Amino acid sequence: AAGVIQSPRHLIKEKRETATLKCYPIPRHDTVYWYQQGPGQDPQFLISFYEKMQSDKGSIPDRFSAQQFSDYHSELNMSSLELGDSALYFCASSTNPREALNTEAFFGQGTRLTVV
Amino acid sequence: AQKVTQAQTEISVVEKEDVTLDCVYETRDTTYYLFWYKQPPSGELVFLIRRNSFDEQNEISGRYSWNFQKSTSSFNFTITASQVVDSAVYFCALSEYGGATNKLIFGTGTLLAVQP
């Protein structure tokens, strides 16, 4: 079965550079979530989209932005990278949580971003 | 506010021992979901179980079992006859149902080390 695809799997950037992470949800999933997991930390919710509109926002820095496109894939753009942005970034997808009784979010394998 | 507490930061057991991972949650919602995820050293988040707040039946899946008790707001996870391959970080998580999104609130995780 198709899963959530994230690219790239690994990314190394220098401080002050920009990075773009991509997420391709499971077919027919219209909701995408982004999480950030720092070293030794639990995943923290950043932002989510439903039908190309932002549906919820967590602790996402102003230097980060994200969007969902017409094909439902999503991109997380990170500018002015800092050492503290080094983390594992997960994307998850689901069907509309307001419609399905048993909506479950499926996680991608993550993108490991290292800022040097 | 929603909160998940995993008081055990690290547990070390010897192979074939049983081990229980504790999870206590806080929420004002009457309808919610509880999850357990496994994160092996490779980093991906592996879904183990989802339980909704209306279903307090305990569940057993092979060597895994879960004890959900609403009265104590706990959702504990037991591995029977542990194996070295069970070594990982285990996260308990909570999400509300029917809200704008099904974002997950994670606990801080329990690192399980199973020694041969």
Side-chain angles (χ1 to χ4, degrees):
Chain A
V4 178
I5 305 297
Q6 291 188 246
S7 68
R9 292 293 309 280
H10 301 272
L11 189 59
I12 300 176
K13 289 285 186 178
E14 295 189 355
K15 281 194 306 183
R16 292 180 288 278
E17 283 192 320
T18 61
T20 297
L21 309 186
K22 297 185 179 182
C23 170
Y24 297 87
I26 292 171
R28 292 183 294 280
H29 279 192
D30 49 22
T31 304
V32 168
Y33 310 79
W34 286 97
Y35 292 83
Q36 177 192 56
Q37 185 180 23
Q41 308 280 317
D42 55 289
Q44 294 287 319
F45 172 72
L46 292 177
I47 196 167
S48 62
F49 292 88
Y50 164 64
E51 283 291 344
K52 294 152 280 185
M53 299 287 289
Q54 180 183 306
S55 53
D56 201 354
K57 191 173 180 180
S59 48
I60 183 169
D62 292 340
R63 299 178 289 107
F64 294 7
S65 64
Q67 57 181 323
Q68 186 179 32
F69 295 85
S70 57
D71 63 352
Y72 297 112
H73 93 272
S74 178
E75 295 183 3
L76 177 65
N77 299 294
M78 309 158 70
S79 63
S80 302
L81 286 169
E82 301 173 356
L83 295 178
D85 296 328
S86 295
L88 193 53
Y89 290 83
F90 286 104
C91 172
S93 75
S94 75
T95 53
N96 181 1
R98 283 184 167 151
E99 291 178 355
L101 186 61
N102 287 308
T103 298
E104 174 188 338
F106 296 83
F107 282 86
Q109 292 195 299
T111 293
R112 189 172 295 280
L113 172 66
T114 303
V115 182
V116 298
Chain B
Q2 297 178 320
K3 186 179 177 182
V4 177
T5 301
Q6 295 179 254
Q8 305 150 308
T9 52
E10 290 187 39
I11 299 176
S12 182
V13 298
V14 177
E15 219 174 6
K16 297 183 184 174
E17 282 186 19
D18 299 346
V19 58
T20 295
L21 310 183
D22 298 333
C23 173
V24 174
Y25 63 92
E26 296 175 30
T27 180
R28 277 181 251 178
D29 298 323
T30 55
T31 308
Y32 50 89
Y33 287 99
L34 294 164
F35 300 78
W36 276 95
Y37 285 88
K38 173 183 179 180
Q39 187 172 45
S42 51
E44 71 271 23
L45 284 169
V46 179
F47 167 80
L48 296 177
I49 190 172
R50 177 188 65 225
R51 172 70 66 208
N52 75 54
S53 53
F54 295 121
D55 184 0
E56 286 193 71
Q57 282 190 344
N58 293 330
E59 181 160 338
I60 298 175
S61 176
R63 296 185 298 108
Y64 295 167
S65 63
W66 291 269
N67 183 353
F68 175 30
Q69 293 197 349
K70 278 178 87 168
S71 61
T72 56
S73 297
S74 65
F75 186 43
N76 297 336
F77 172 33
T78 297
I79 302 174
T80 303
S82 59
Q83 300 176 0
V84 172
V85 293
D86 296 327
S87 297
V89 178
Y90 290 84
F91 290 100
C92 181
L94 168 71
S95 78
E96 65 176 0
Y97 163 67
T101 67
N102 279 346
K103 68 182 178 189
L104 292 171
I105 307 297
F106 286 86
T108 49
T110 297
L111 173 61
L112 174 65
V114 181
Q115 310 295 334

